[in-house]
Amino acid sequence: PPPPPPRRSADRPTVAFAIVLTKDGPYLDGAAVLAEAVMGSWRGPNSSSSGAPGGAASQPAVDYELVAIVARNVTASRPVLRFLGYRVLERPLPVAVADIAPGFLRDRIAARGCCGADELLK
């Protein structure tokens, strides 16, 4: 079954645990481990079914939210991320390659790293 929805309260701050996914592929095991670790830390070893660490009487000082920032070409991974409890946000590159000043970076960014210019999302 999918995880419970994030715990959010208007009177407590929320900590976001964010990941960035720039392409589809076999990369979701890390996202699943992070989600389980976060949810497990809020549940705690002696938690109640409400998800509060130590039972209902023990409330964390902050809420949490799992956030996945994805490139537009990420499509197959989105349903899995949502199933894991992530809020999926598609975001464009913060800087268009054409807007980078001519020279070393602009000439090479599309072919560098694992994901070319999508690395700028990170």
Side-chain angles (χ1 to χ4, degrees), residues 76-117:
S77 300
R78 292 179 192 212
V80 177
L81 291 166
R82 287 187 185 102
F83 178 81
L84 293 171
Y86 285 88
R87 179 166 59 120
V88 177
L89 304 174
E90 179 181 315
R91 293 295 183 257
L93 293 178
V95 177
V97 174
D99 293 339
I100 299 172
F104 183 84
L105 179 61
R106 182 175 173 174
D107 295 343
R108 290 168 179 80
I109 194 165
R112 297 293 180 171
C114 75
C115 310

Side-chain angles (χ1 to χ4, degrees), residues 2-93:
R7 297 174 31 81
R8 307 266 328 247
S9 171
D11 60 340
R12 286 194 304 238
T14 300
V15 174
F17 293 88
I19 62 169
V20 176
L21 196 62
T22 56
K23 61 183 175 180
D24 285 316
Y27 313 110
L28 298 179
D29 54 342
V33 169
L34 177 63
E36 180 59 29
V38 169
M39 289 184 282
S41 69
W42 258 256
R43 285 191 303 257
N46 300 315
S47 68
S48 69
S49 60
S50 69
S58 175
Q59 292 286 325
V62 297
D63 292 324
Y64 74 88
E65 183 169 15
L66 300 169
V67 177
I69 300 167
V70 301
R72 75 173 174 272
N73 61 314
V74 174
T75 56
S77 300
R78 292 179 192 212
V80 177
L81 291 166
R82 287 187 185 102
F83 178 81
L84 293 171
Y86 285 88
R87 179 166 59 120
V88 177
L89 304 174
E90 179 181 315
R91 293 295 183 257
L93 293 178

